[in-house]
């Protein structure tokens, strides 16, 4: 059997929901010899040893969350055959604008081009009621738009793309 592990760091649940959707789509699409497991990032060693990994993180202040970068560090010690990463949290309807909100430093942290099969940026969900005072101040300062900016069709299409690549490999 070959193993695919899906994990994500999420502060308010939006990124976790994307990881859940990816894992469900991949499990429904991939058959033998693949098993798909959705794990949390409390123990990043659960990612090590997988044949393929999909790892995501919410983006705060232009950077990935610490648990996701820590997991990425573990994966560098024993890289999987395939690694796809995704970022969420930008809250614009423009995918180009969302991609630009991740800082150059954060992109450097995410790995070299030869380490990662692909990096996707998905819009996030912004609910003012879930934010701390500091987060609300930042949201106002950057002009982020409240609401759910996740495009589920894009998430589903990416899951199909990953499944196609794994089935061809």
């Amino acid at each position: 059997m070959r193993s695919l592990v899906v994990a994500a760091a999420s502060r308010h649940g939006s990124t976790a929901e994307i990881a859940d959707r990816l894992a469900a789509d991949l499990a429904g699409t991939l058959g033998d010899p693949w098993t798909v497991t959705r794990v949390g990032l409390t123990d990043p060693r659960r990612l090590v040893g997988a044949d393929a990994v999909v790892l995501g993180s919410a983006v705060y202040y232009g950077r990935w969350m610490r648990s996701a970068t820590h997991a990425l560090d573990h994966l560098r010690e024993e890289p999987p055959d395939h690694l796809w990463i995704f970022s969420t949290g930008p809250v614009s309807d423009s995918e180009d604008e969302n991609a630009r909100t991740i800082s150059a430093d954060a992109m450097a942290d995410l790995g070299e081009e030869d380490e990662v099969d692909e990096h996707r940026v998905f819009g996030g969900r912004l609910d003012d009621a879930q934010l701390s005072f500091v987060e609300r101040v930042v949201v106002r300062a950057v002009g982020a738009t409240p609401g759910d900016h996740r495009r589920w069709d894009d998430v589903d299409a990416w899951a199909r793309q990953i499944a196609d690549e794994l089935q061809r490999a």
Side-chain angles (χ1 to χ4, degrees), residues 11 15 19-21 23 51 67 74 87 91 105-106 108 111-112 125 133 136 149 154:
R11 182 171 294 169
T15 305
D20 292 344
R21 178 83 164 243
D51 297 298
S67 61
H74 274 334
S87 301
V91 288
D105 289 340
E112 302 299 323
R125 181 184 67 215
F133 173 76
R136 283 193 298 272
H149 302 273
D154 293 345

Side-chain angles (χ1 to χ4, degrees), residues 12-78:
H12 299 293
S14 175
T15 305
E17 290 171 358
I18 290 174
D20 292 344
R21 178 83 164 243
L22 287 166
D25 286 353
L26 288 161
T29 304
L30 289 170
D32 285 337
W34 289 96
T35 60
V36 178
T37 307
R38 169 71 170 93
V39 301
L41 288 178
T42 55
D43 183 2
R45 293 173 294 184
R46 295 181 70 188
L47 304 174
V48 175
D51 297 298
V53 173
V54 177
L55 176 63
S57 178
V59 174
Y60 284 92
Y61 312 111
R63 302 193 76 89
W64 263 28
M65 294 179 67
R66 183 174 300 161
S67 61
T69 57
H70 192 230
L72 196 56
D73 289 341
H74 274 334
L75 288 171
R76 285 187 174 119
E77 294 172 14
E78 190 180 325

Side-chain angles (χ1 to χ4, degrees), residues 86-157:
F86 69 95
S87 301
T88 66
V91 288
S92 168
D93 289 329
S94 166
E95 291 303 316
D96 289 339
E97 188 175 316
N98 286 338
R100 286 192 305 270
T101 64
I102 301 174
S103 71
D105 289 340
M107 291 303 295
D109 290 345
L110 298 183
E112 302 299 323
E113 285 183 29
D114 61 340
E115 290 180 318
V116 175
D117 289 64
E118 184 177 12
H119 175 222
R120 283 285 177 102
V121 178
F122 297 111
R125 181 184 67 215
L126 178 59
D127 180 355
D128 287 337
Q130 292 184 330
L131 303 178
S132 70
F133 173 76
V134 172
E135 289 171 326
R136 283 193 298 272
V137 169
V138 171
V139 163
R140 283 189 203 99
V142 300
T145 308
D148 193 341
H149 302 273
R150 296 171 295 178
R151 294 183 179 159
W152 294 110
D153 289 345
D154 293 345
V155 173
D156 296 339

